[in-house]
Structure formats: C-alpha cells, structure tokens
Amino acid sequence: MSTVASAIRRLWWRRFLALLAIIVIIALIAVMTSSQLGATIEALTPPGLPEPVSASEQVSLDQGWNAEDADRFHHKAQGTQTLPIPLSWFLALEAPLNSPFAIPFFKRERFSDNRYLLRFGFIESAESENNEYGLPIGLCIFAVSVDPRAFA
C-alpha cells in the first residue's frame, strides 16, 4: 500500500471518528435536556427504606420456657418455607442499593445483615447454637441441598 493511500485512509478514519464524536455529543445533549430523563432516573431509583430500628430492651413473656427452649423455638422452622434456596445462596445475596448510579461506587452490604433486615420489623438476635449466622428472630433458612439436574 502506498503512503498516499494510507494517508487518505487515516484522514478518512479521523473524519469518521470526529463525525461519530459529534453525533454522540448531540445525542447526549438531547438526552440530558429531555424532560423524560428525570422520570427515567426516578423510575430506576428504588424507594427509600426506613433506617434500621434496634429495640432498646427485649422483653420475653413468662411462658414457662427456659432460655434454650425459647431460642430453639425462635430459630427453628415452623412449617412455612418462604425462601426455598440453599443457605449459602441466601447468605451471599446482596442488599439493593438506593440509586442506580451507586453500583460502581459503593460497597454492597449483605441481605442477611441485621442492618438491612431490621428495617422490615425483624427482632435482632445473637448467634447461638440454634442461630449459627445471627439471623433475626423468626427468620429460619433451611440447609437445602441443590440437585444440579434441576437447572439443566
């Protein structure tokens, strides 16, 4: 290829890239000045959650139970299976962020953290023999085994 042909090709690519940059800038200006931009951002933003509330004092009514019986009752399955997923999956879930633009900038907290779950009215509970991961009272996750053929 001659130097004249390569020079013409480089000039053509420069002009093409300059034209493409101008089109992108015009498109960005059109999007940024659009009245729909605010509505789009608002639609992508999840609703704000209340701050987590921690009870100052937890009072247990006298039901003739010792502490071990109460702990076992609060953290064992009562028959309802809300999240039929493996425990490892539940513990790996991430809590949602408050803004679609926060994804690359903020550290994600875990869904199973008390800082997140207490916002929904759960009662904080310490780790114990029956509550190995420190989940709130009333939240019981089965150790479900996963059959890989179910996802094939």
Side-chain angles (χ1 to χ4, degrees):
M1 185 182 292
S2 69
T3 55
V4 174
S6 64
I8 292 174
R9 179 166 285 148
R10 279 194 308 267
L11 180 63
W12 184 86
W13 276 108
R14 283 186 195 144
R15 288 182 179 168
F16 175 75
L17 291 176
L19 180 64
L20 186 63
I22 290 170
I23 292 172
V24 167
I25 290 171
I26 291 172
L28 282 174
I29 290 172
V31 167
M32 297 299 275
T33 58
S34 169
S35 62
Q36 293 180 347
L37 179 66
T40 304
I41 291 174
E42 186 177 341
L44 291 174
T45 305
L49 293 173
E51 288 301 315
V53 177
S54 181
S56 58
E57 182 182 354
Q58 185 175 342
V59 178
S60 297
L61 300 177
D62 182 21
Q63 298 182 31
W65 295 355
N66 60 22
E68 175 62 28
D69 289 340
D71 185 56
R72 186 172 41 253
F73 178 77
H74 289 148
H75 298 292
K76 291 295 178 184
Q78 302 290 325
T80 301
Q81 189 174 7
T82 354
L83 299 170
I85 62 172
L87 177 64
S88 59
W89 292 10
F90 175 76
L91 294 175
L93 286 175
E94 296 177 341
L97 294 173
N98 291 337
S99 168
F101 303 111
I103 291 172
F105 304 111
F106 292 107
K107 182 179 178 251
R108 304 287 297 256
E109 67 179 9
R110 297 283 175 213
F111 183 85
S112 60
D113 285 345
N114 277 330
R115 288 187 309 274
Y116 184 71
L117 288 177
L118 294 181
R119 297 171 186 213
F120 299 103
F122 285 104
I123 301 169
E124 190 171 4
S125 181
E127 291 183 13
S128 67
E129 180 183 329
N130 297 308
N131 187 16
E132 185 179 345
Y133 299 99
L135 297 174
I137 290 176
L139 189 62
C140 172
I141 304 296
F142 294 104
V144 176
S145 62
V146 178
D147 183 5
R149 294 172 290 173
F151 299 102

